[in-house]
Amino acid sequence: MEKRRNEREWKEKRPSGRNGEERKDRKPFHTAREEREMDREINENQLEGRNAILEVLRSGRDIEKIMVAKGNVEGTIKRIIAMAVEKGVVIQEVSRQKLDEISQTKNHQGVIALVSAHDYVEVEDILAAAKEKGEDPFVLLLDGITDPHNLGAILRTAECAGVHGVIIPKRRSVGLNATVGKTSAGAIEYMPVARVTNIVQTMEYLKKEGLWIACADMKGLDHFDTNMKGPLALVIGSEGDGVSRLVKEKCDFTASIPMYGKISSLNASVAAALLMYEVVRQRRF
């Protein structure tokens, strides 16, 4: 009893910070259960080691990319690269130091894979879903969105706006990782996402299927004056550079958002949301 009282008095008297003030930078204490939950969240989309990655390649699960140590192309690594190339998986050569830094097991064996938080679909599946509902296809094409929070927010709005599917490129774009899933607030479970090798070729395919391609561009016609009814694919560009030149040239028309302030651009997910709901307004009201 005396020992407990002394410990309590010591805790009350001890200075927690400079000049006896309560410290603001003290890290919160995590229980063993919370630590396990954090570890599970971290490890959710990262696989390490040669055998584990060979198995995930055999399983057919969607893989965002495989990182291989530079110069390490012998034995099992060579097989992994060959299988990845055959399946169209992005391969990135990085330094062994980089792998050491991001490794969670500390036994990566020269290779780390980032797998998707959700399976991708085919572009044909998106169009089939629209046909099944008896609706004109409404598709989003994302040209180089690299921020997972932006992609998650776009998926969330797309699901609410009745978009039939989202198309992203394999390269120079964030994939369906854990951050995207969390930011989407569950929309990742309902919004079909296709991942394609070539955005321009995909646009040509969509045109053949009867869709018009609209490009979000600040120099385009005001979206209030743009006809966005009927089968439509809406192209949203990257956070910094917007829609790339080649993609823009293949679009049928452009749509801009009027700006009346001193800042001349909007966040990609906000711009996407405004344009998506303009499509909703024109189609339904």
Side-chain angles (χ1 to χ4, degrees):
M1 201 58 164
E2 184 68 22
K3 182 179 179 182
R4 288 182 182 174
R5 185 165 61 250
N6 291 339
E7 288 178 348
R8 185 167 62 250
E9 290 174 355
W10 175 78
K11 289 178 180 178
E12 291 172 351
K13 292 179 181 178
R14 79 170 191 254
S16 299
R18 186 176 296 178
N19 299 326
E21 297 176 356
E22 188 66 25
R23 285 191 59 171
K24 304 294 185 183
D25 60 343
R26 187 175 297 278
K27 293 182 179 179
F29 173 76
H30 297 291
T31 65
R33 180 179 178 181
E34 288 172 335
E35 293 284 358
R36 287 195 300 270
E37 288 175 351
M38 286 190 294
D39 286 342
R40 185 159 54 247
E41 182 179 356
I42 291 170
N43 291 326
E44 185 177 3
N45 300 105
Q46 184 164 308
L47 293 178
E48 302 179 16
R50 303 181 182 192
N51 289 335
I53 294 171
L54 275 173
E55 288 304 321
V56 79
L57 281 166
R58 293 189 184 110
S59 72
R61 184 177 177 184
D62 288 315
I63 301 174
E64 297 296 324
K65 66 178 177 180
I66 296 177
M67 291 175 284
V68 179
K70 288 182 180 178
N72 191 5
V73 291
E74 300 297 329
T76 312
I77 297 291
K78 196 172 183 179
R79 288 174 56 198
I80 288 172
I81 292 173
M83 290 179 68
V85 169
E86 184 180 348
K87 294 176 179 292
V89 176
V90 174
I91 301 169
Q92 182 180 359
E93 274 195 316
V94 299
S95 66
R96 182 168 288 273
Q97 181 183 354
K98 175 67 174 177
L99 294 181
D100 292 340
E101 289 173 359
I102 65 175
S103 175
Q104 295 156 0
T105 65
K106 304 307 175 187
N107 187 29
H108 53 73
Q109 299 176 314
V111 58
I112 293 177
L114 300 178
V115 298
S116 305
H118 201 273
D119 289 337
Y120 293 99
V121 302
E122 300 295 331
V123 176
E124 292 82 359
D125 298 329
I126 294 174
L127 300 182
K131 186 176 181 181
E132 187 177 340
K133 292 180 179 179
E135 299 173 349
D136 287 331
F138 181 16
V139 179
L140 278 188
L141 279 162
L142 305 182
D143 183 24
I145 298 294
T146 57
D147 186 338
H149 297 91
N150 272 339
L151 179 55
I154 289 171
L155 294 181
R156 184 176 184 177
T157 306
E159 203 283 324
C160 293
V163 172
H164 297 110
V166 176
I167 300 172
I168 62 175
K170 284 188 176 182
R171 295 184 180 275
R172 295 182 293 279
S173 172
V174 66
L176 298 181
N177 60 31
T179 302
V180 172
K182 186 175 182 180
T183 309
S184 76
I188 194 174
E189 300 296 330
Y190 305 104
M191 177 52 52
V193 178
R195 199 163 178 241
V196 300
T197 304
N198 190 304
I199 283 284
V200 172
Q201 289 180 2
T202 302
M203 292 167 68
E204 294 294 344
Y205 168 76
L206 292 175
K207 287 181 179 182
K208 291 177 182 178
E209 293 297 315
L211 279 74
W212 290 87
I213 312 291
C215 171
D217 183 63
M218 297 309 296
K219 297 180 181 179
L221 186 65
D222 192 321
H223 71 292
F224 293 121
D225 299 323
T226 303
N227 185 354
M228 302 175 79
K229 298 177 181 178
L232 183 73
L234 178 61
V235 181
I236 305 295
S238 66
E239 296 89 344
D241 301 324
V243 179
S244 62
R245 180 188 58 81
L246 188 57
V247 170
K248 190 184 298 184
E249 288 175 356
K250 295 295 182 180
C251 292
D252 295 308
F253 60 93
T254 58
S256 69
I257 299 169
M259 308 291 290
Y260 302 110
K262 295 181 179 179
I263 298 175
S264 60
S265 63
L266 291 168
N267 173 277
S269 63
V270 174
L274 290 171
L275 291 172
M276 279 188 270
Y277 269 93
E278 176 59 20
V279 175
V280 171
R281 185 189 70 82
Q282 291 191 21
R283 284 188 172 195
R284 298 180 180 272
F285 298 95

